[in-house]
Amino acid sequence: FLLGWDEPEPTEHALPANIKSVSEMKHHYVPLLGGVAAGEPILCETNYDLIVDAPKKADFALRVEGDSMFPSFTVGDVVYLRAQDDVIDGEIGVVLIDDSATMKHIYHVPGGLLLISDNPKYQPMKITAADHEYIRILGKVCGYTRMF
């Protein structure tokens, strides 16, 4: 071999038993429904023209817009959601407020919801039925993809 050195022996890079390679994970395709605010709520649209490969438990996907969930999520990340009407306090979910959607940590409070960002520059948002015509939890974040 080059310069008289022996060719190195091939080594196998085995994953630990509790880690699966991406090719072993169960995936399926879900609609990417547009953007979700990680900041102030943005207009929610339900039309889509893109289908994405997602974890098996996901029902739909949204693209992150805004920085209120930074550093956990950044602009452009695709989050995968399981459609469900409620979450456990502290879980990250997407909430529809009137005709706008936002992604936050969700906590139940008397008369509504308290929405908390990861980014400390954003104040908690208390959403009550008295202040809004429509409040609905759309789903729980169950995964994400970040492109570098």
Side-chain angles (χ1 to χ4, degrees), residues 43-123:
L43 181 64
C44 182
E45 297 180 20
T46 57
N47 57 350
Y48 65 93
D49 58 1
L50 188 62
I51 303 291
V52 294
D53 190 19
K56 195 70 172 167
K57 57 189 169 183
D59 296 308
F60 62 97
L62 297 167
R63 188 173 315 281
V64 174
E65 299 176 6
D67 67 347
S68 76
M69 292 303 286
F70 180 82
S72 299
F73 302 99
T74 61
V75 174
D77 287 352
V78 174
V79 292
Y80 305 103
L81 291 105
R82 178 176 40 213
Q84 57 187 63
D85 294 331
D86 205 1
V87 297
I88 296 170
D89 281 352
E91 290 184 323
I92 300 172
V94 172
V95 178
L96 185 63
I97 305 163
D98 298 326
D99 59 356
S100 300
T102 190
M103 179 177 69
K104 304 276 190 240
H105 292 275
I106 301 170
Y107 295 88
H108 298 81
V109 296
L113 299 171
L114 183 64
L115 308 178
I116 308 285
S117 301
D118 281 348
N119 191 332
K121 77 177 189 180
Y122 291 89
Q123 295 296 315

Coordinates of all heavy atoms in Angstrom, one line a residue, residues 43-123:
L43 N -51.4 32.7 11.1 CA -52.6 32.2 10.4 C -52.4 30.7 10.1 O -51.4 30.4 9.5 CB -52.9 33.0 9.2 CG -54.2 32.6 8.4 CD1 -55.4 32.8 9.2 CD2 -54.2 33.4 7.1
C44 N -53.4 29.9 10.4 CA -53.3 28.5 10.2 C -54.0 28.2 8.9 O -55.2 28.5 8.7 CB -54.0 27.8 11.3 SG -53.9 26.0 11.2
E45 N -53.3 27.5 8.0 CA -53.9 27.1 6.7 C -53.9 25.6 6.6 O -52.9 25.0 7.1 CB -53.2 27.7 5.5 CG -53.2 29.2 5.5 CD -52.4 29.8 4.3 OE1 -52.2 29.1 3.3 OE2 -52.1 31.0 4.4
T46 N -54.9 25.0 6.1 CA -54.9 23.5 6.1 C -54.6 22.9 4.7 O -54.7 21.7 4.5 CB -56.3 23.0 6.5 OG1 -57.3 23.6 5.7 CG2 -56.5 23.4 8.0
N47 N -54.3 23.7 3.7 CA -54.0 23.1 2.4 C -52.5 22.8 2.4 O -51.7 23.3 3.1 CB -54.3 24.1 1.3 CG -53.6 25.4 1.4 OD1 -53.0 25.7 2.4 ND2 -53.7 26.2 0.4
Y48 N -52.2 21.8 1.6 CA -50.8 21.3 1.5 C -50.5 20.8 0.2 O -51.3 20.4 -0.6 CB -50.5 20.3 2.6 CG -51.3 19.0 2.4 CD1 -50.7 17.9 1.7 CD2 -52.5 18.8 2.9 CE1 -51.4 16.8 1.5 CE2 -53.2 17.6 2.7 CZ -52.7 16.6 2.0 OH -53.4 15.5 1.8
D49 N -49.2 20.8 -0.2 CA -48.8 20.2 -1.4 C -47.5 19.4 -1.3 O -46.8 19.1 -2.3 CB -48.6 21.3 -2.5 CG -47.5 22.4 -2.1 OD1 -47.0 22.2 -1.0 OD2 -47.3 23.3 -2.9
L50 N -47.2 19.0 -0.1 CA -46.0 18.3 0.2 C -46.3 17.2 1.2 O -47.0 17.4 2.2 CB -44.9 19.2 0.8 CG -43.5 18.6 0.9 CD1 -42.9 18.2 -0.4 CD2 -42.6 19.7 1.6
I51 N -45.8 16.0 0.9 CA -45.9 14.8 1.8 C -44.5 14.5 2.2 O -43.5 14.5 1.4 CB -46.4 13.6 1.0 CG1 -47.8 13.9 0.4 CG2 -46.5 12.4 1.9 CD1 -48.9 14.1 1.4
V52 N -44.3 14.3 3.5 CA -43.0 14.0 4.1 C -42.9 12.7 4.8 O -43.9 12.2 5.3 CB -42.5 15.1 5.1 CG1 -42.3 16.5 4.3 CG2 -43.5 15.3 6.2
D53 N -41.7 12.1 4.8 CA -41.5 10.9 5.5 C -41.4 11.2 7.0 O -40.7 12.1 7.4 CB -40.2 10.3 5.1 CG -39.9 8.9 5.6 OD1 -40.9 8.2 6.0 OD2 -38.8 8.4 5.6
A54 N -42.2 10.5 7.9 CA -42.3 10.8 9.3 C -42.3 9.6 10.1 O -42.5 8.5 9.7 CB -43.7 11.6 9.5
P55 N -42.0 9.8 11.4 CA -42.1 8.7 12.4 C -43.5 8.1 12.3 O -44.5 8.8 12.0 CB -41.9 9.3 13.7 CG -41.2 10.6 13.4 CD -41.7 11.0 12.1
K56 N -43.6 6.8 12.6 CA -44.9 6.1 12.5 C -46.0 6.7 13.3 O -47.2 6.6 13.0 CB -44.7 4.6 12.9 CG -45.8 3.7 12.6 CD -45.8 3.4 11.1 CE -46.8 2.3 10.7 NZ -47.0 2.3 9.3
K57 N -45.7 7.3 14.5 CA -46.8 7.8 15.4 C -47.3 9.2 14.9 O -48.2 9.7 15.5 CB -46.3 7.8 16.8 CG -45.0 8.6 17.0 CD -44.5 8.4 18.5 CE -43.1 9.0 18.6 NZ -42.6 8.7 19.9
A58 N -46.7 9.8 13.9 CA -47.1 11.1 13.5 C -48.3 11.1 12.5 O -48.4 10.2 11.7 CB -45.9 11.8 12.8
D59 N -49.1 12.1 12.6 CA -50.3 12.2 11.7 C -50.1 13.3 10.7 O -50.7 13.3 9.7 CB -51.6 12.5 12.5 CG -51.9 11.3 13.5 OD1 -51.9 10.1 12.9 OD2 -52.1 11.5 14.7
F60 N -49.4 14.4 11.1 CA -49.1 15.5 10.2 C -47.8 16.2 10.6 O -47.3 15.9 11.7 CB -50.3 16.4 10.1 CG -50.7 17.1 11.4 CD1 -50.2 18.4 11.6 CD2 -51.5 16.5 12.3 CE1 -50.5 19.1 12.8 CE2 -51.8 17.2 13.5 CZ -51.4 18.4 13.7
A61 N -47.3 17.1 9.7 CA -46.1 17.8 10.0 C -46.3 19.3 9.8 O -47.2 19.7 9.0 CB -45.0 17.3 9.1
L62 N -45.5 20.1 10.4 CA -45.5 21.6 10.3 C -44.1 22.1 10.3 O -43.2 21.5 10.9 CB -46.3 22.2 11.4 CG -47.8 21.9 11.5 CD1 -48.3 22.4 12.9 CD2 -48.6 22.5 10.4
R63 N -43.9 23.2 9.6 CA -42.5 23.8 9.5 C -42.5 24.9 10.6 O -43.4 25.7 10.7 CB -42.2 24.3 8.2 CG -40.8 24.8 8.0 CD -40.4 25.2 6.6 NE -40.9 24.3 5.6 CZ -40.3 23.2 5.2 NH1 -39.2 22.8 5.9 NH2 -40.7 22.4 4.3
V64 N -41.4 24.9 11.4 CA -41.3 25.9 12.5 C -41.0 27.3 11.9 O -40.1 27.4 11.0 CB -40.2 25.5 13.5 CG1 -40.0 26.6 14.5 CG2 -40.6 24.2 14.1
E65 N -41.7 28.3 12.3 CA -41.4 29.7 12.0 C -41.4 30.5 13.3 O -42.3 30.4 14.1 CB -42.6 30.2 11.1 CG -42.7 29.5 9.8 CD -43.9 29.9 8.9 OE1 -44.5 30.9 9.3 OE2 -44.1 29.3 7.9
G66 N -40.3 31.2 13.5 CA -40.1 32.0 14.7 C -39.1 31.4 15.6 O -38.7 30.2 15.4
D67 N -38.8 32.1 16.7 CA -37.7 31.6 17.6 C -38.1 31.4 19.1 O -37.3 31.3 19.9 CB -36.5 32.6 17.5 CG -36.8 33.9 18.1 OD1 -38.0 34.3 18.4 OD2 -35.8 34.7 18.3
S68 N -39.4 31.4 19.3 CA -39.8 31.3 20.8 C -39.5 29.9 21.4 O -39.4 29.8 22.6 CB -41.3 31.6 20.9 OG -42.1 30.5 20.5
M69 N -39.3 28.9 20.5 CA -39.0 27.6 21.1 C -37.5 27.3 20.9 O -37.1 26.1 21.1 CB -39.9 26.5 20.4 CG -41.3 26.6 20.7 SD -41.7 26.5 22.5 CE -41.4 24.8 22.8
F70 N -36.7 28.3 20.6 CA -35.2 28.1 20.5 C -34.7 28.0 22.0 O -35.2 28.7 22.9 CB -34.6 29.3 19.9 CG -33.1 29.3 19.7 CD1 -32.5 28.6 18.7 CD2 -32.3 29.9 20.7 CE1 -31.2 28.5 18.6 CE2 -30.9 29.8 20.6 CZ -30.4 29.1 19.5
P71 N -33.8 27.1 22.3 CA -33.0 26.3 21.3 C -33.5 24.9 20.9 O -32.9 24.2 20.1 CB -31.7 26.1 22.1 CG -32.1 26.0 23.5 CD -33.3 27.0 23.6
S72 N -34.7 24.5 21.5 CA -35.2 23.2 21.2 C -35.5 23.1 19.7 O -35.3 22.1 19.1 CB -36.4 22.9 22.0 OG -36.1 22.9 23.4
F73 N -36.2 24.1 19.1 CA -36.5 24.1 17.7 C -36.1 25.4 17.1 O -36.2 26.5 17.7 CB -38.1 24.0 17.6 CG -38.6 22.7 18.2 CD1 -39.2 22.8 19.5 CD2 -38.5 21.5 17.6 CE1 -39.7 21.7 20.1 CE2 -39.0 20.4 18.2 CZ -39.6 20.5 19.5
T74 N -35.6 25.3 15.9 CA -35.2 26.5 15.1 C -36.0 26.7 13.9 O -36.7 25.8 13.4 CB -33.7 26.4 14.8 OG1 -33.5 25.3 13.9 CG2 -32.8 26.3 16.0
V75 N -36.0 27.9 13.3 CA -36.7 28.2 12.1 C -36.3 27.2 11.0 O -35.1 27.0 10.8 CB -36.4 29.7 11.6 CG1 -37.0 29.9 10.3 CG2 -36.9 30.7 12.6
G76 N -37.3 26.7 10.4 CA -37.0 25.7 9.3 C -37.1 24.2 9.7 O -37.3 23.3 8.9
D77 N -37.1 24.0 11.0 CA -37.3 22.6 11.5 C -38.6 22.1 11.1 O -39.6 22.9 11.0 CB -37.2 22.5 13.0 CG -35.8 22.7 13.6 OD1 -34.8 22.7 12.8 OD2 -35.6 22.7 14.8
V78 N -38.8 20.8 10.8 CA -40.1 20.2 10.6 C -40.4 19.4 11.8 O -39.7 18.6 12.2 CB -40.0 19.3 9.3 CG1 -41.3 18.6 9.1 CG2 -39.7 20.1 8.1
V79 N -41.6 19.8 12.4 CA -42.0 19.0 13.6 C -43.2 18.1 13.2 O -44.0 18.4 12.3 CB -42.5 20.0 14.7 CG1 -41.4 20.7 15.3 CG2 -43.6 20.9 14.3
Y80 N -43.2 16.9 13.8 CA -44.1 15.9 13.5 C -45.1 15.8 14.7 O -44.7 15.8 15.8 CB -43.5 14.5 13.3 CG -42.4 14.6 12.2 CD1 -41.1 14.6 12.5 CD2 -42.8 14.7 10.9 CE1 -40.1 14.7 11.6 CE2 -41.8 14.8 9.9 CZ -40.5 14.8 10.2 OH -39.5 14.9 9.3
L81 N -46.4 15.8 14.4 CA -47.4 15.8 15.4 C -48.3 14.6 15.3 O -48.7 14.2 14.3 CB -48.2 17.1 15.3 CG -47.4 18.4 15.7 CD1 -47.1 19.1 14.5 CD2 -48.1 19.2 16.7
R82 N -48.7 14.2 16.5 CA -49.7 13.2 16.6 C -51.0 13.9 16.9 O -51.0 14.7 17.9 CB -49.4 12.2 17.8 CG -50.5 11.1 17.9 CD -50.2 10.1 19.0 NE -49.6 10.7 20.1 CZ -48.7 10.0 20.9 NH1 -48.3 8.8 20.6 NH2 -48.1 10.6 21.9
A83 N -52.0 13.8 16.1 CA -53.3 14.5 16.3 C -53.9 14.0 17.6 O -54.2 12.8 17.7 CB -54.2 14.3 15.1
Q84 N -54.2 14.9 18.5 CA -54.9 14.6 19.8 C -55.4 15.9 20.3 O -54.9 16.9 20.2 CB -54.0 13.8 20.7 CG -52.7 14.6 21.1 CD -51.8 13.7 22.0 OE1 -51.3 12.6 21.5 NE2 -51.5 14.1 23.2
D85 N -56.5 15.7 21.0 CA -57.3 16.9 21.6 C -56.7 17.5 22.9 O -57.1 18.5 23.3 CB -58.7 16.6 21.8 CG -59.4 16.3 20.5 OD1 -59.0 16.9 19.5 OD2 -60.4 15.5 20.5
D86 N -55.8 16.7 23.5 CA -55.3 17.2 24.8 C -53.8 16.6 25.0 O -53.4 15.7 24.3 CB -56.1 16.7 25.9 CG -56.0 17.6 27.2 OD1 -55.3 18.6 27.1 OD2 -56.7 17.2 28.2
V87 N -53.1 17.3 25.9 CA -51.7 16.8 26.2 C -51.6 16.9 27.7 O -52.4 17.5 28.4 CB -50.7 17.7 25.5 CG1 -50.7 17.7 24.0 CG2 -50.8 19.2 26.0
I88 N -50.6 16.2 28.2 CA -50.2 16.3 29.6 C -49.5 17.6 29.9 O -48.7 18.1 29.0 CB -49.3 15.1 30.0 CG1 -50.1 13.8 29.8 CG2 -48.8 15.2 31.4 CD1 -49.2 12.6 30.0
D89 N -49.8 18.3 31.0 CA -49.1 19.5 31.3 C -47.6 19.5 31.1 O -47.0 18.5 31.6 CB -49.4 20.0 32.7 CG -50.8 20.6 32.9 OD1 -51.5 20.8 31.9 OD2 -51.2 20.8 34.1
G90 N -47.1 20.4 30.4 CA -45.7 20.5 30.1 C -45.2 20.0 28.8 O -44.1 20.3 28.3
E91 N -46.1 19.2 28.2 CA -45.7 18.6 26.8 C -45.8 19.7 25.8 O -46.5 20.7 26.0 CB -46.7 17.5 26.4 CG -46.4 16.2 27.3 CD -47.3 15.1 26.8 OE1 -48.5 15.3 26.5 OE2 -46.8 13.9 26.9
I92 N -45.1 19.5 24.7 CA -45.1 20.5 23.6 C -46.1 20.1 22.6 O -46.2 19.0 22.2 CB -43.7 20.6 22.9 CG1 -42.6 21.0 23.9 CG2 -43.7 21.6 21.7 CD1 -41.2 20.9 23.4
G93 N -47.0 21.1 22.3 CA -48.1 20.8 21.4 C -48.4 22.1 20.5 O -47.8 23.1 20.7
V94 N -49.3 21.9 19.6 CA -49.7 23.0 18.8 C -51.2 23.3 19.2 O -52.0 22.4 19.3 CB -49.6 22.6 17.3 CG1 -50.3 23.7 16.4 CG2 -48.2 22.5 16.9
V95 N -51.4 24.6 19.4 CA -52.7 25.1 19.8 C -53.3 26.0 18.7 O -52.5 26.9 18.2 CB -52.6 25.9 21.1 CG1 -54.0 26.4 21.5 CG2 -52.1 25.0 22.2
L96 N -54.5 25.8 18.3 CA -55.2 26.7 17.4 C -56.0 27.7 18.3 O -56.8 27.3 19.1 CB -56.2 25.9 16.5 CG -56.9 26.6 15.4 CD1 -55.9 27.2 14.4 CD2 -57.9 25.7 14.7
I97 N -55.7 29.0 18.0 CA -56.3 30.1 18.8 C -57.0 30.9 17.7 O -56.4 31.6 16.9 CB -55.3 30.9 19.5 CG1 -54.4 30.0 20.4 CG2 -56.0 32.0 20.3 CD1 -53.2 30.7 20.9
D98 N -58.4 30.8 17.7 CA -59.2 31.5 16.7 C -58.7 30.9 15.3 O -59.0 29.7 15.1 CB -59.1 33.0 16.8 CG -59.7 33.5 18.1 OD1 -60.7 32.9 18.6 OD2 -59.2 34.5 18.6
D99 N -58.1 31.7 14.5 CA -57.6 31.1 13.2 C -56.1 31.1 13.1 O -55.6 31.0 12.0 CB -58.2 31.9 12.0 CG -57.8 33.3 12.1 OD1 -57.2 33.8 13.0 OD2 -58.2 34.1 11.1
S100 N -55.4 31.1 14.2 CA -53.9 31.1 14.2 C -53.4 29.9 15.1 O -54.1 29.5 16.0 CB -53.4 32.4 14.8 OG -53.8 33.5 14.1
A101 N -52.2 29.4 14.7 CA -51.7 28.3 15.4 C -50.3 28.7 16.0 O -49.6 29.5 15.4 CB -51.5 27.1 14.5
T102 N -50.0 28.1 17.2 CA -48.7 28.3 17.8 C -48.3 27.0 18.5 O -49.1 26.2 18.9 CB -48.8 29.5 18.8 OG1 -47.5 29.8 19.3 CG2 -49.6 29.2 20.0
M103 N -46.9 26.9 18.6 CA -46.3 25.7 19.3 C -45.7 26.1 20.6 O -44.8 27.0 20.5 CB -45.3 25.0 18.3 CG -44.6 23.8 18.9 SD -43.5 23.0 17.8 CE -42.2 24.3 17.7
K104 N -46.1 25.5 21.7 CA -45.5 25.9 23.0 C -45.6 24.7 23.9 O -46.3 23.7 23.6 CB -46.4 27.0 23.6 CG -46.5 28.2 22.8 CD -45.3 29.1 23.0 CE -45.6 30.5 22.4 NZ -44.6 30.8 21.4
H105 N -45.1 24.8 25.1 CA -45.4 23.9 26.2 C -46.7 24.3 26.7 O -47.0 25.5 26.9 CB -44.4 24.1 27.4 CG -43.0 23.6 27.0 ND1 -42.6 22.3 27.2 CD2 -41.9 24.3 26.6 CE1 -41.3 22.2 26.8 NE2 -40.9 23.4 26.4
I106 N -47.6 23.3 26.9 CA -49.0 23.6 27.2 C -49.3 23.2 28.7 O -48.9 22.1 29.1 CB -50.0 22.8 26.3 CG1 -49.7 23.2 24.8 CG2 -51.4 23.0 26.7 CD1 -50.4 22.4 23.8
Y107 N -49.9 24.1 29.4 CA -50.4 23.8 30.8 C -51.8 24.2 30.9 O -52.3 25.2 30.4 CB -49.5 24.6 31.8 CG -48.1 24.3 31.8 CD1 -47.2 24.9 31.0 CD2 -47.6 23.3 32.7 CE1 -45.8 24.5 31.0 CE2 -46.3 22.9 32.7 CZ -45.4 23.5 31.9 OH -44.1 23.2 31.9
H108 N -52.6 23.4 31.6 CA -54.0 23.7 31.8 C -54.1 24.6 33.1 O -53.5 24.3 34.1 CB -54.8 22.4 32.1 CG -54.7 21.5 30.9 ND1 -53.7 20.6 30.6 CD2 -55.6 21.3 29.9 CE1 -53.9 20.0 29.5 NE2 -55.1 20.3 29.0
V109 N -54.9 25.7 32.9 CA -55.2 26.6 34.0 C -56.7 26.8 34.0 O -57.4 26.6 33.0 CB -54.5 27.9 33.8 CG1 -53.0 27.7 33.9 CG2 -54.8 28.6 32.5
P110 N -57.3 27.2 35.1 CA -58.7 27.5 35.2 C -59.2 28.4 34.0 O -58.6 29.5 33.9 CB -58.9 28.1 36.5 CG -57.8 27.6 37.4 CD -56.6 27.5 36.4
G111 N -60.1 28.0 33.2 CA -60.7 28.8 32.2 C -59.9 28.8 30.9 O -60.2 29.5 29.9
G112 N -58.8 28.1 30.8 CA -58.0 28.1 29.6 C -56.7 27.4 29.6 O -56.5 26.4 30.3
L113 N -55.7 27.9 28.9 CA -54.4 27.3 28.8 C -53.3 28.3 29.0 O -53.5 29.5 28.7 CB -54.2 26.7 27.4 CG -55.1 25.6 26.9 CD1 -54.9 25.3 25.4 CD2 -55.0 24.4 27.8
L114 N -52.2 27.9 29.6 CA -51.0 28.7 29.7 C -50.0 28.1 28.8 O -49.7 26.9 28.8 CB -50.5 28.7 31.2 CG -49.2 29.5 31.5 CD1 -49.6 31.0 31.3 CD2 -48.7 29.3 32.9
L115 N -49.5 28.9 27.9 CA -48.5 28.5 26.8 C -47.2 29.1 27.1 O -47.0 30.3 27.2 CB -49.0 29.0 25.4 CG -50.5 28.6 25.1 CD1 -50.8 29.1 23.7 CD2 -50.6 27.0 25.2
I116 N -46.1 28.2 27.3 CA -44.8 28.7 27.7 C -43.8 28.4 26.6 O -43.7 27.2 26.1 CB -44.4 27.9 29.0 CG1 -45.4 28.1 30.1 CG2 -43.0 28.4 29.4 CD1 -45.5 29.4 30.7
S117 N -43.0 29.4 26.3 CA -41.9 29.2 25.3 C -40.6 28.7 25.9 O -40.5 28.8 27.1 CB -41.6 30.6 24.7 OG -42.7 31.1 24.0
D118 N -39.7 28.1 25.1 CA -38.4 27.8 25.6 C -37.5 29.0 25.7 O -36.6 29.1 26.6 CB -37.7 26.7 24.7 CG -38.3 25.3 25.0 OD1 -39.0 25.1 26.0 OD2 -38.0 24.4 24.2
N119 N -37.7 29.9 24.8 CA -36.9 31.1 24.7 C -37.3 32.1 25.8 O -38.5 32.5 25.8 CB -37.0 31.7 23.3 CG -36.0 32.8 23.1 OD1 -35.5 33.5 24.0 ND2 -35.7 33.0 21.8
P120 N -36.4 32.4 26.7 CA -36.8 33.3 27.9 C -37.2 34.7 27.5 O -37.8 35.4 28.3 CB -35.6 33.3 28.8 CG -34.4 32.9 27.9 CD -35.0 32.0 26.8
K121 N -36.9 35.1 26.2 CA -37.3 36.5 25.8 C -38.8 36.6 25.6 O -39.3 37.7 25.4 CB -36.5 37.0 24.7 CG -36.8 36.5 23.3 CD -36.0 37.1 22.2 CE -36.4 36.8 20.9 NZ -35.6 37.4 19.8
Y122 N -39.5 35.5 25.5 CA -41.0 35.5 25.3 C -41.7 35.2 26.6 O -41.4 34.3 27.3 CB -41.4 34.4 24.3 CG -40.9 34.7 22.9 CD1 -39.7 34.3 22.4 CD2 -41.7 35.5 22.0 CE1 -39.3 34.7 21.2 CE2 -41.3 35.8 20.8 CZ -40.1 35.4 20.3 OH -39.7 35.7 19.1
Q123 N -42.7 36.0 26.9 CA -43.5 35.9 28.1 C -44.5 34.8 27.9 O -45.0 34.5 26.8 CB -44.2 37.2 28.4 CG -43.3 38.4 28.8 CD -42.6 38.1 30.1 OE1 -43.1 37.6 31.1 NE2 -41.3 38.3 30.1

